[in-house]
Amino acid sequence: IKHGQICFPFDAPFVFAEVNSDVVFYSRNPRDGTLEPVKVNSSHVGRMVVTKAPGQDTRRDITDQYKFPEGSPEERTVLEKAEEYGCQREKAILPEADVELDMPLIEVRVGDDFELKLEFNNKSGQARTGDVYVSGNVVYYTGVTSSEFLFKTPKVTLDPMKAEKKVIQVRSQDYMRKLVEQANLHFIATGKVKETGQIVTAMRVITLHNPKLSVQVSGLAKVSEEMFVTVEFTNPFKFNLEDVYVRVEGPGVMPPKYKHYSLILAGSSLTWTESFTPRREGPTKLMASLDCAALRQVYGQAQLTVKP
């Protein structure tokens, strides 16, 4: 993969594409339907390849095992080698744009209202105006679109050699009811500069952060001695959570146990304490999870070392 030898069977071409692909934005001609490239982002895909570090709950960056540094001579040589094996790339030479558009990365918790910022930069000595289309979609972790929840059409006026910001208000009530498991929010902004006909575009994927469960262990951590685990959760949202299931378990120390809550009011908390008796010694964990229709993949854990 690292050296562009995609001639090998099975997943070699696919994995090479996972770490080296370009994102190409096209404009469709309304008369004949042909596509014309308007922007190529060569650094969006393959910025980091990570795996779990052995023996630790941390990640290990293994990007250098799959690709050479972005923009290096070695990377260019690898891409040329891949093309010899049939890899196809967009090679259009695009004119340098005098208006740039960017969407900065932001941190968003599930259930939050937030502001999506569009940053325009006019690098020309003349004023620029344009219409912009902003689309927000819920997408699966694979990038496949689930449903659209936002569509805005702001207008922008840029003074010569000046930057301008546009702010789009995103409401939780618009995206929460359309979320899917492991959901991300995908925003695409596209605009056309009236004076030059130039297409400007940018995209941003926002991963929603879930709240956490608090897991506390008490008692003497010894084999065949009773202990207790306490799971706590506070509903941080402005809406109630209904039909909630909480689960806790620990390999070798506690079989799976469940608790059902028909309703957790907005801003309220739950506390659940269960007893367990470790059956084997050594380091282990207790894992807790919370699941309901409005909130998925909420976890918490506690580490303990059981003595003989």
Side-chain angles (χ1 to χ4, degrees):
I1 301 301
K2 185 172 182 178
H3 293 276
Q5 298 174 353
I6 60 174
C7 55
F8 287 95
F10 309 113
D11 285 342
F14 172 74
V15 177
F16 183 84
E18 282 189 307
V19 297
N20 289 288
S21 288
D22 294 339
V23 176
V24 184
F25 297 85
Y26 291 94
S27 174
R28 185 182 299 277
N29 189 315
R31 292 189 298 272
D32 57 15
T34 56
L35 296 175
E36 179 183 357
V38 295
K39 181 179 178 181
V40 177
N41 187 332
S42 60
S43 61
H44 182 81
V45 176
R47 286 174 291 182
M48 183 178 289
V49 183
V50 296
T51 188
K52 181 183 179 298
Q56 305 176 51
D57 287 340
T58 57
R59 67 186 184 186
R60 174 177 292 182
D61 187 344
I62 56 172
T63 310
D64 62 348
Q65 297 182 33
Y66 284 85
K67 62 187 298 185
F68 290 98
E70 196 78 38
S72 66
E74 294 87 352
E75 183 205 26
R76 180 55 48 191
T77 301
V78 166
L79 295 176
E80 293 173 354
K81 172 64 69 174
E83 288 178 349
E84 294 179 6
Y85 291 114
C87 175
Q88 297 181 356
R89 301 171 60 84
E90 177 60 65
K91 295 183 177 181
I93 300 176
L94 305 178
E96 185 175 353
D98 60 17
V99 176
E100 295 179 343
L101 170 59
D102 185 40
M103 279 191 284
L105 178 64
I106 55 176
E107 299 289 327
V108 180
R109 298 181 305 172
V110 172
D112 279 356
D113 298 338
F114 62 94
E115 294 181 342
L116 181 72
K117 294 182 175 63
L118 308 180
E119 297 183 350
F120 297 87
N121 184 18
N122 182 9
K123 299 187 295 182
S124 75
Q126 298 177 325
R128 296 286 186 252
T129 58
D131 296 321
V132 183
Y133 301 88
V134 183
S135 174
N137 296 271
V138 172
V139 295
Y140 294 93
Y141 75 98
T142 56
V144 175
T145 299
S146 171
S147 56
E148 184 180 65
F149 65 88
L150 178 139
F151 187 78
K152 299 289 186 180
T153 57
K155 297 182 181 296
V156 61
T157 300
L158 304 174
D159 293 329
M161 306 300 294
K162 294 289 186 179
E164 178 75 21
K165 289 184 180 180
K166 285 288 184 180
V167 177
I168 305 295
Q169 301 293 334
V170 182
R171 303 180 304 171
S172 61
Q173 65 190 62
D174 294 332
Y175 68 80
M176 280 298 296
R177 54 193 174 89
K178 297 184 178 181
L179 287 183
V180 294
E181 192 167 346
Q182 296 180 323
N184 297 318
L185 304 183
H186 188 204
F187 294 93
I188 297 179
T190 303
K192 186 173 184 179
V193 180
K194 292 182 179 180
E195 291 78 10
T196 63
Q198 172 196 344
I199 302 296
V200 295
T201 185
M203 70 177 181
R204 174 64 64 190
V205 177
I206 296 177
T207 299
L208 299 174
H209 297 285
N210 280 330
K212 300 292 184 180
L213 288 178
S214 171
V215 183
Q216 302 291 332
V217 177
S218 59
L220 188 62
K222 293 185 64 176
V223 174
S224 300
E225 293 283 342
E226 186 179 47
M227 298 184 64
F228 297 91
V229 57
T230 300
V231 180
E232 296 181 343
F233 173 77
T234 299
N235 180 3
F237 307 121
K238 301 175 184 178
F239 52 87
N240 301 332
L241 298 177
E242 300 178 355
D243 200 22
V244 180
Y245 285 89
V246 182
R247 170 190 173 115
V248 63
E249 65 178 312
V253 295
M254 183 180 185
K257 295 188 178 181
Y258 302 85
K259 186 80 170 182
H260 176 254
Y261 296 85
S262 58
L263 183 67
I264 303 177
L265 298 175
S268 66
S269 300
L270 67 84
T271 301
W272 172 34
T273 300
E274 278 283 349
S275 64
F276 65 97
T277 304
R279 304 185 300 276
R280 69 183 185 196
E281 63 181 279
T284 188
K285 297 178 183 178
L286 287 176
M287 300 288 297
S289 63
L290 179 146
D291 186 78
C292 65
L295 190 60
R296 306 286 188 183
Q297 299 193 14
V298 177
Y299 298 109
Q301 68 177 33
Q303 295 184 331
L304 71 154
T305 301
V306 180
K307 297 180 180 180

